[in-house]
Amino acid sequence: MNKNYSPQDFFACVPKVFLKQYFDSHSVMRDVDFESADDDLTEKILANWAVLDEVQRDEMETHFQEIHALSNEKGMNALIDEALFHGEALNDTFDKNELVGFEARAFWSFLNRESLWKNALSLNYADNLTHWKKRSELGDYPAKVDEPSVQRFTMALGEYFGSDLYMGKNCQVECLKRVVDGKKYDYFFAYPEDYARVYRNWESGKTKNHVQRKVLEVIFVYCREQQSLDVWCQFKSEVVKALQKIFASEILGIDLPKPVRVKKEYELDAFKQSMPNLIYAPQTGIEHIRVNKLRIMMSHSKDKITLEANPHDDPQAVYKLFEKLKNSVSGDVMNITQVGLVAQFVPAENGKPQTRKFSMSYPDSCSLKHTGQDAILRQMLIDSGIQPKPTIKNTDKQ
């Protein structure tokens, strides 16, 4: 199925038996023979789809887009992780029901595992976000997920966005737990209130202006074992630091000291002279990792230079460019502020090469997610000393 949703692709790719079951539950398309082998079956479905009641079609379209969103490897990981948290090995269930393919498994789960659906969508959404801000060395503290603690956290966030940023004071927080490769993660999805804006929407066949306060999105991912907190939001670093402090106070019960200097979460200087020795075991599936991009900043200057090269044929290609730059610039000390990497994994069963491009930026930003191959690469950064291991602090465990 294509990355972008469209009714044509969706109806062509999903199993017709599940499509019939869904439409029967909504009492529509009774005249369509979903068991037909006609080549124009998708066109017949589309023709009936086009004349459905607008309100009813809108509801079904949101469902289909949700199924489409989980019809991929990351979506399956989110469903499987959520099911595992509730004690079900969903892969075994898929095999038992002879469900083959992402589309079949996602549609079946929508029809038969409603209790998993909402949380899996949230986890999948987080898995597709990039450039998380990390804060490490928080200490060995459990996350407080009891209702009073979460309520205090919610109120503190609402107060911050309302009083400090002059937005609305309403806020809602939803908590999820997840286990990935034996590591436990606490997810906090926060939805504070945005500024009031005018939006032009369709209503009863006409466009109308509506003043609305939509929700903002802030996601916190805390791992006690790594003593780390990742935050995703579309705000500047000052806001991220304030959010980290609120999280530490209300969820961990500690005061987060303001750093005296900018704390580096990723040791990018390791890439300054040449490719460092990255540590990963054969069982990780990683064949090799190469640098394809370096962003450089001159000392005492805000100027930035980005070097990019294709390391496929020459693993040192970007460093050869770097040497040319250093030979042409004298008297300036150059600091690495961003590193782009390309990881190649052992080919899948279909023989296609698997590559993952990701980047780290000074001081605390990384494009890796927390699951699948990204989780393997995060562990590689820790094992290689690029992401420092947490320092065990003397704390009162709860």
Side-chain angles (χ1 to χ4, degrees):
M1 192 182 295
N2 294 334
K3 290 184 179 180
N4 296 323
Y5 167 83
S6 72
Q8 297 95 318
D9 291 335
F10 184 82
F11 295 148
C13 292
V14 297
K16 302 303 185 288
V17 61
F18 296 147
L19 203 55
K20 181 182 187 304
Q21 184 178 340
Y22 178 87
F23 284 133
D24 284 349
S25 69
H26 287 74
S27 301
V28 297
M29 298 202 187
R30 299 285 194 183
D31 297 332
V32 177
D33 182 7
F34 287 93
E35 297 180 0
S36 170
D38 292 347
D39 293 336
D40 61 350
L41 177 57
T42 299
E43 283 71 20
K44 290 180 180 178
I45 297 172
L46 284 168
N48 281 268
W49 175 256
V51 297
L52 289 178
D53 175 76
E54 183 178 315
V55 174
Q56 190 175 33
R57 190 174 66 185
D58 287 349
E59 177 192 1
M60 291 189 284
E61 193 164 74
T62 60
H63 292 162
F64 293 161
Q65 290 195 65
E66 289 179 356
I67 296 168
H68 174 266
L70 296 189
S71 296
N72 50 61
E73 185 175 357
K74 291 179 181 177
M76 282 300 103
N77 286 337
L79 273 167
I80 290 167
D81 288 349
E82 179 63 15
L84 189 61
F85 180 74
H86 293 283
E88 180 184 8
L90 197 56
N91 264 330
D92 293 343
T93 305
F94 291 151
D95 292 340
K96 182 179 179 181
N97 287 276
E98 299 181 347
L99 298 170
V100 179
F102 294 136
E103 292 82 6
R105 293 182 173 193
F107 212 148
W108 182 91
S109 299
F110 175 85
L111 295 171
N112 297 278
R113 292 296 184 272
E114 183 181 358
S115 61
L116 307 177
W117 196 254
K118 180 176 179 295
N119 290 351
L121 284 171
S122 295
L123 293 174
N124 181 64
Y125 178 76
D127 287 346
N128 283 282
L129 297 173
T130 60
H131 298 99
W132 294 74
K133 298 293 185 179
K134 177 177 286 293
R135 179 68 187 260
S136 62
E137 298 182 351
L138 296 176
D140 185 9
Y141 296 95
K144 298 179 180 179
V145 294
D146 57 281
E147 186 174 345
S149 296
V150 174
Q151 185 60 31
R152 287 192 295 269
F153 180 47
T154 304
M155 294 177 64
L157 289 174
E159 181 66 25
Y160 172 72
F161 280 96
S163 299
D164 290 58
L165 301 183
Y166 303 101
M167 298 179 175
K169 289 190 175 183
N170 290 316
C171 186
Q172 181 176 320
V173 174
E174 298 172 358
C175 306
L176 293 178
K177 288 184 176 292
R178 191 178 195 178
V179 178
V180 180
D181 294 332
K183 295 185 178 66
K184 298 178 182 179
Y185 294 86
D186 288 284
Y187 283 70
F188 297 81
F189 294 84
Y191 303 101
E193 189 176 5
D194 198 357
Y195 297 113
R197 290 182 171 87
V198 174
Y199 295 92
R200 194 171 183 84
N201 300 325
W202 281 99
E203 185 176 310
S204 301
K206 296 180 180 179
T207 60
K208 291 184 179 181
N209 289 340
H210 296 275
V211 177
Q212 297 178 4
R213 284 185 177 271
K214 293 196 173 182
V215 298
L216 298 167
E217 294 174 318
V218 182
I219 304 176
F220 304 81
V221 181
Y222 174 67
C223 181
R224 180 180 181 181
E225 293 166 279
Q226 295 182 345
Q227 302 180 22
S228 65
L229 172 67
D230 287 278
V231 178
W232 183 90
C233 67
Q234 295 179 310
F235 293 98
K236 295 181 179 179
S237 58
E238 292 77 10
V239 175
V240 174
K241 292 175 183 177
L243 295 174
Q244 291 169 339
K245 191 171 183 179
I246 293 171
F247 182 92
S249 175
E250 304 300 338
I251 299 300
L252 303 183
I254 62 173
D255 292 328
L256 191 65
K258 184 178 180 180
V260 178
R261 59 181 177 83
V262 176
K263 187 180 188 309
K264 295 189 297 182
E265 295 293 350
Y266 302 98
E267 296 294 341
L268 303 187
D269 287 344
F271 296 88
K272 197 168 186 178
Q273 301 300 326
S274 62
M275 180 70 175
N277 181 32
L278 300 179
I279 300 172
Y280 46 87
Q283 58 264 31
T284 63
I286 299 174
E287 285 193 337
H288 59 72
I289 302 175
R290 294 173 179 174
V291 176
N292 71 326
K293 181 170 69 174
L294 293 175
R295 190 178 68 193
I296 301 152
M297 181 177 286
M298 305 297 186
S299 294
H300 312 298
S301 171
K302 293 185 178 180
D303 295 335
K304 299 175 183 177
I305 301 171
T306 300
L307 305 176
E308 293 191 55
N310 184 353
H312 178 70
D313 296 321
D314 183 1
Q316 297 298 319
V318 74
Y319 284 103
K320 290 180 179 178
L321 285 177
F322 195 17
E323 283 300 319
K324 292 179 181 179
L325 174 65
K326 288 191 286 187
N327 292 335
S328 63
V329 178
S330 60
D332 284 323
V333 177
M334 292 177 280
N335 297 311
I336 305 296
T337 60
Q338 186 180 78
V339 176
L341 295 159
V342 181
Q344 181 165 312
F345 287 81
V346 175
E349 293 180 0
N350 57 14
K352 294 182 179 180
Q354 300 183 76
T355 59
R356 175 69 170 99
K357 292 183 178 180
F358 64 100
S359 63
M360 297 170 288
S361 302
Y362 175 87
D364 58 2
S365 181
C366 182
S367 63
L368 290 172
K369 288 85 172 179
H370 295 85
T371 60
Q373 292 179 341
D374 283 20
I376 293 172
L377 293 171
R378 279 183 176 269
Q379 188 60 48
M380 177 275 299
L381 294 176
I382 294 175
D383 294 340
S384 303
I386 305 303
Q387 179 183 324
K389 294 182 180 180
T391 302
I392 302 300
K393 299 180 181 180
N394 292 326
T395 59
D396 294 325
K397 295 183 181 181
Q398 299 181 25

